[in-house]
Amino acid sequence: MTATVSNFYYGAVTPVAAYLMACLGAGLGLRCTTRSLRRPQRRASWLALGAISIGSGIWTMHFIAMIGFSVQGALVSYDVTKTLLSLVVAVAVVATGVFLVGYRGGSAVNLSIAGLVTGLGVAAMHYIGMAAINTNGGLHYDTPKVVLSVVIAVAAATAALWAAVSIHGLWSSFGASLVMGVAVTGMHYTGMAAVSVHLTGEAASAQSSITLLSFLLAMLAAPFAILLIAAVIVMFDPDIMLGHDDSDPVTLAPYGGDTDFPPQQPTQPYTTW
């Protein structure tokens, strides 16, 4: 028997919250990548923080959206190991793409390779997360919609990596993060539109929504905290505090040291007449 599946059990709350988290992760990732380009000596650290931000944002988006997932007549629960594995995959594949373009540039070849790897990884994160679902039924997928979701993931990943190395202004990054949020969230709901559930056991008498919600919120606590920490780091970065614009070139201190301050002009000697 095919069950009725809903992705909006709590109405518009979950898709809106999921979209905002996707935008937050994307925005922080863009700012971190900009910092990495301005701070070559600390590039690896900023790229790593950017990858963690984007990966955590995508994963958080996915599982906030999954709070709204329900199957009529079936209890839904999640396998902890597979759920955490999907988070590791999300961060790892985003890091691969971010480091590739961060160190090798945003050429068409680099973006194509990095976007493909990252997009396939994001899709893998999504479907690993779906594989973590336990219910008294089997999940089935509509192949064309699955393929479409993967295509969207690759396109979104490529666009995100292009934006990471090409867009550096604050407001431009903000606009790009909004677009990226649409793409990532759209990929999720396209993949969810491919899902159908065929019940194989007796129908459950009641859905334990409180227990499920508690589990998902507990899973979301760590990546959400990571995003907050990343936001604090980006907001209190010296460039932001000192009001330096991202379009301004950064002058490296002598002997390769980084500095947030422009070098002092040499003092002109006094001329005696």
Side-chain angles (χ1 to χ4, degrees):
M1 178 179 69
T2 303
T4 300
V5 176
S6 173
N7 289 296
F8 307 101
Y9 186 79
Y10 296 99
V13 174
T14 49
V16 170
Y19 169 71
L20 292 177
M21 294 309 298
C23 292
L24 176 62
L28 289 174
L30 290 177
R31 304 314 297 158
C32 290
T33 307
T34 297
R35 300 274 86 78
S36 77
L37 298 176
R38 293 173 58 84
R39 311 278 184 76
Q41 300 273 336
R42 305 173 191 171
R43 180 166 298 174
S45 298
W46 280 111
L47 290 176
L49 184 60
I52 292 172
S53 298
I54 297 174
S56 296
I58 293 173
W59 189 88
T60 304
M61 174 279 300
H62 172 83
F63 278 98
I64 286 179
M66 292 307 295
I67 291 175
F69 176 74
S70 66
V71 180
Q72 184 176 5
L75 294 174
V76 176
S77 61
Y78 289 85
D79 179 89
V80 175
T81 302
K82 291 179 181 177
T83 300
L84 295 177
L85 175 61
S86 66
L87 173 59
V88 173
V89 169
V91 174
V93 296
V94 171
T96 300
V98 167
F99 273 82
L100 183 58
V101 298
Y103 278 97
R104 303 194 62 179
S107 67
V109 174
N110 269 349
L111 283 175
S112 298
I113 295 173
L116 179 62
V117 171
T118 305
L120 292 176
V122 169
M125 178 279 299
H126 174 86
Y127 290 105
I128 291 172
M130 294 301 295
I133 294 177
N134 296 318
T135 185
N136 57 314
L139 271 64
H140 299 267
Y141 294 92
D142 180 74
T143 302
K145 291 179 181 177
V146 170
V147 172
L148 178 59
S149 71
V150 174
V151 171
I152 293 174
V154 172
T158 304
L161 294 173
W162 172 83
V165 296
S166 304
I167 297 177
H168 307 309
L170 179 60
W171 290 109
S172 298
S173 295
F174 177 74
S177 68
L178 296 181
V179 175
M180 288 160 58
V182 171
V184 173
T185 309
M187 174 268 165
H188 171 84
Y189 283 105
T190 300
M192 294 308 297
V195 176
S196 61
V197 179
H198 297 172
L199 299 181
T200 57
E202 295 183 359
S205 57
Q207 173 69 44
S208 181
S209 58
I210 299 299
T211 302
L212 178 60
L213 181 60
S214 299
F215 169 79
L216 289 175
L217 290 177
M219 288 287 101
L220 290 168
F224 185 72
I226 290 172
L227 289 173
L228 288 180
I229 293 171
V232 170
I233 292 173
V234 171
M235 288 175 60
F236 288 95
D237 179 69
D239 278 350
I240 299 295
M241 300 296 290
L242 295 174
H244 293 173
D245 186 80
D246 289 330
S247 61
D248 294 337
V250 173
T251 305
L252 296 181
Y255 310 108
D258 257 338
T259 180
D260 299 317
F261 303 94
Q264 295 182 350
Q265 296 297 324
T267 304
Q268 295 295 329
Y270 292 103
T271 303
T272 56
W273 299 89

